[in-house]
Amino acid sequence: MTPNRIPQGRACSSLLPGLALPVVLTLAACGGSALPQVSPPAPGGPAAGKSCTTVAVDYTAQSLPLGMLPRPGPEALYLPAPRAPQLENTGVWQALPILVSGSSAYRCGEFLYQDWLFDDHGAAGTEDPADRQKLSSYLFSPKAGTLTYPNDPVYADNAADLVELRLRPLADATVFRLSLNSLQDLERVAFTLALGESAGAQAWPHDAGVSAPAEWFLTVHGTTAELLPAAGGAALSPAPTVTVDLERRQFEVRVAHALWNPGRNSVRIAAGVGLWDADAGSYLQAGPTNSATAPGGMALPGAALFNMAFRAQEPVPQFTVASGRTIGDAAVLSKVESRWWRDRAQADALAAGDVSAFFATVDFGKLADGIEDDSAVPRTGFLNRIMASRYVFGQGLDYVTACGGISAVRPCKGTMLGQLQPYTVYVPEKPAAASGYGLTMQPHALSANYNQYLNTRHARQLGERSTGTLVVTPSARGPDGFYYDASEANVFETWADVARHYPLDPDWVVMGGVSMGGIGTFRIAPRYPDLFARVMPIVAAAGDEALLPSLRNVPVTMWTSAFDELQPLVSTEPTITALTELGYRLDSLRFDAWDHLTPSTNDDYQPAVAFLGEARVERDPAQVTYVLMPEIDNAEVDLVADKAYWLSGLRLRDAAAGTGSIDVRSEGFGTAPAEPLAVVQGIEVLSSGNQGPSPYTHRVLDWAEPMAAPVADRLLIRASNIASVTIDPKRAKVSCKAALEIDSDGPLTVVMAGCS
């Protein structure tokens, strides 16, 4: 796995009067393409009716722990936003992209719509037995539509996936721009815009298979466009002009005012994207199963469109309706639900052939006056956001190469190959505190997607606790990455994107997810323990218990189920035992009547929320324990874990052994080593949630209050298979001449940073 690494955006930043944070200037202010780290104005930004937005605040300086060395976490967290061609502006375009799916805005004289990513599934028809997504790992997050792409790789299982649609009036024309997620052959894709009103629904042209009110139909395929009267008649001449930017995957269409002039009117506009059949001169039609050249998933002739625009009200998942106690029952209910890709309303409307519900009324008077209006962009609650990755493995989707399970492939690149990646964030209703929001990373489970926690109490309870935290679920680039390689890098790139767009308190960070999300928590937190205050893995065991000693300063709450089919007690109890034997702080809840899915269907986590609370990251503990395992690093995606707290530069002496460990205690803090208390165990009951009263065995291991000890300029070092370590004496509260007491199984080089 060697990704195409996208360079960072061109420098075009400044400090503006009255702003304490750096801002990024857009095209209007500095020329050239807009940089990709842009978003709707953060809370407190420009309101509707003000002049054109020319700046996007970047909160990175506040939101990430930049003021210390070594910096916590991998480089993937700190790299600047890459250049993102699909989000760039050229020519007449100036407005910042919205990057919140399902929303619209008026910006810089342009009207913009931002679509959902990877929602190009067409109508709910008859399942294609060869559907590659169905045969992949997306068991708990099936799509609602059943259309499948032709097998020809040029379609990338994603060729009709709309990213953005925007338009603006010029002096002599109206210009439209449509951006796609994947575009390898511009002659294989087409889209139609329905412009204006009509007394009744009109059939869309070229066998699109749908109807909706319209006065005109503007259809584009390749570099050809035609404007047809919806009521019938010949295409107008001269035809609109089309230019295509393959790198940016953007179609730009100019319709001269001599053909169609909206003036200052409010105009109804709808849009749909499909595949083009050049031989037939129509949309490519689907059959029961796909082939190299034809789509599948449609037993009878029907809608040929894969993706519709202007769907702000797509239904959200209702995972808690799953009432069965078996994985199979829940999978069936999840399939019936099918809202994980925000495509349910689209699938039902396309199946009915009536897409009248999907439209926007565009006020060309507002556009002419340059009115800024972001009122249709949600600010709080559950949002699907879009971010640009610097690691690109191709276009579209790879449903074949599994990252997890028996056929696991390492290194893992994930199912979602391209640069644009979705994620979900819950933004609390309360405003951010002066210090910023807290951050709760909530990785998704195996076979789920980034919308697993959408519309759940799980995310709301975490988000609304204390003064408010953002709850973020990355895509992990697919359903089965287990947070290795590109899947792990996606977590940190998502974190960095959130840090650019929202003010965060870098010291208030926790992590925890369900199943694979919990396994990922047990993998990532020990690799970068100085990023996290506490962790909360649910129905998950540690994938590698050898890493657990690194959690010395990160308390853990674990929820396990006695009847767990996927993470049984024979897996989870050894993790609890290992943490207990280490003497680490642990809050364990074993639910004695639950199975693997019950925590999700019960959907109430108040005890865990209380445990996480407002805990802050312990940046400079008196004692650091760290396990070095370079074999699971991946420098190709900037993931190298070789440091923690005030230790850095760790290297193995014998690389073939795979791991090494080090423990360093500083006597400069004036505290004695932590003393674990006896485990306290009892039976308690969780009374809230959807399942009724649920008893659990509660085991708590805590530490005694730290005892004072004489301050000494001394470091006590124990090491196994470690060749070298660098220590920051200031953060370790010792001098450059500190005494070193070393217990090592071989030669160990100790470097005191900043000392001669």
Side-chain angles (χ1 to χ4, degrees), residues 123-148:
T126 303
E127 282 191 354
D128 182 346
D131 187 339
R132 285 180 287 278
Q133 191 195 71
K134 175 185 174 184
L135 299 174
S136 72
S137 297
Y138 281 112
L139 176 65
F140 288 109
S141 51
K143 59 185 185 178
T146 59
L147 284 193
T148 58

Side-chain angles (χ1 to χ4, degrees), residues 101-102 113-123 133 143-147 149 157-158 160-163 181 273 305-311 314 339-344 346-347 350 384 397 399 416 422 449-451:
S101 291
Y113 166 73
Q114 192 82 67
D115 199 44
W116 317 93
L117 290 188
F118 302 107
D119 63 333
D120 48 324
H121 304 138
Q133 191 195 71
K143 59 185 185 178
T146 59
L147 284 193
Y149 281 95
D157 275 318
N158 188 233
D161 187 13
L162 173 65
V163 173
N181 202 358
V273 188
L305 301 178
F306 280 68
N307 202 176
M308 298 297 301
F310 307 120
R311 297 171 10 251
E314 275 288 349
R339 301 176 177 186
W340 310 102
W341 301 95
R342 309 307 297 275
D343 64 342
R344 183 73 207 202
Q346 170 181 266
L350 288 171
N384 276 181
L397 298 159
Y399 289 127
M416 301 172 178
N449 75 352
Y450 52 95
N451 280 325

Side-chain angles (χ1 to χ4, degrees), residues 356-675:
S356 301
F358 307 139
F359 70 94
T361 300
V362 179
D363 186 337
F364 279 82
K366 290 176 73 169
L367 293 174
D369 295 339
I371 300 297
E372 295 276 293
D373 186 355
D374 271 10
S375 59
V377 180
R379 292 286 187 269
T380 60
F382 290 98
L383 311 177
N384 276 181
R385 289 191 60 94
I386 296 172
M387 68 103 173
S389 170
R390 67 177 47 253
Y391 315 114
V392 179
F393 304 93
Q395 291 193 36
L397 298 159
D398 176 6
Y399 289 127
V400 176
T401 308
C403 286
I406 297 174
S407 58
V409 173
R410 291 283 321 279
C412 165
K413 65 181 183 301
T415 297
M416 301 172 178
L417 303 179
Q419 183 176 25
L420 299 186
Q421 296 289 314
Y423 65 90
T424 301
V425 57
Y426 177 79
V427 182
E429 299 296 333
K430 59 190 74 173
S435 57
Y437 293 109
L439 177 65
T440 300
M441 293 300 297
Q442 194 177 34
H444 69 70
L446 177 66
S447 295
N449 75 352
Y450 52 95
N451 280 325
Q452 175 181 354
Y453 309 104
L454 184 67
N455 196 39
T456 64
R457 280 196 295 262
H458 193 172
R460 286 194 188 92
Q461 288 173 343
L462 290 168
E464 297 294 345
R465 76 184 193 272
S466 186
T467 57
T469 80
L470 301 183
V471 184
V472 178
T473 300
S475 74
R477 286 189 175 264
D480 62 352
F482 279 91
Y483 303 96
Y484 281 82
D485 305 321
S487 178
E488 178 184 340
N490 180 263
V491 172
F492 290 104
E493 284 200 293
T494 301
W495 186 338
D497 191 74
V498 172
R500 282 188 282 271
H501 293 100
Y502 297 92
L504 302 178
D505 180 345
D507 294 329
W508 187 13
V509 179
V510 300
M511 183 175 184
V514 171
S515 192
M516 185 183 81
I519 295 172
T521 299
F522 267 136
R523 183 178 185 281
I524 290 175
R527 280 168 56 76
Y528 316 104
D530 44 355
L531 282 175
F532 303 100
R534 297 189 171 194
V535 293
M536 182 187 70
I538 305 294
V539 288
D544 195 329
E545 291 176 14
L547 293 172
L548 291 177
S550 298
L551 292 177
R552 170 179 294 278
N553 300 296
V554 184
V556 177
T557 182
M558 282 183 68
W559 286 29
T560 63
S561 297
F563 295 95
D564 197 318
E565 309 94 321
L566 301 181
Q567 292 284 289
L569 294 183
V570 293
S571 298
T572 54
E573 284 295 318
T575 300
I576 293 171
T577 299
L579 290 168
T580 303
E581 291 178 348
L582 287 166
Y584 287 178
R585 289 163 290 182
L586 174 66
D587 182 72
S588 166
L589 285 70
R590 185 186 69 215
F591 288 85
D592 300 313
W594 283 10
D595 67 2
H596 190 71
L597 295 175
T598 317
S600 296
T601 58
N602 185 65
D603 193 30
D604 192 282
Y605 295 85
Q606 281 296 351
V609 171
F611 176 87
L612 298 176
E614 295 184 65
R616 264 35 183 196
V617 180
E618 191 168 2
R619 295 293 183 200
D620 294 320
Q623 184 170 355
V624 177
T625 303
Y626 192 72
V627 176
L628 183 66
M629 192 179 291
E631 65 184 17
I632 58 176
D633 287 344
N634 190 328
E636 290 289 342
V637 287
D638 299 292
L639 297 173
V640 176
D642 60 357
K643 60 185 184 296
Y645 304 101
W646 33 268
L647 304 183
S648 62
L650 290 163
R651 299 290 182 269
L652 293 181
R653 188 183 316 106
D654 177 9
T659 64
S661 63
I662 189 167
D663 179 272
V664 184
R665 186 167 70 84
S666 168
E667 294 188 343
F669 287 82
T671 57
E675 289 292 335

Side-chain angles (χ1 to χ4, degrees), residues 42-95:
K50 292 192 176 180
S51 61
C52 175
T53 303
T54 57
V55 295
V57 177
D58 184 343
Y59 290 99
T60 300
Q62 169 183 344
S63 296
L64 294 181
L66 298 173
M68 63 189 69
L69 291 174
R71 291 188 306 198
E75 279 303 296
L77 178 59
Y78 299 99
L79 294 172
R83 175 179 175 248
Q86 288 158 280
L87 304 180
E88 288 181 341
N89 287 325
T90 59
V92 302
W93 306 103
Q94 296 185 358

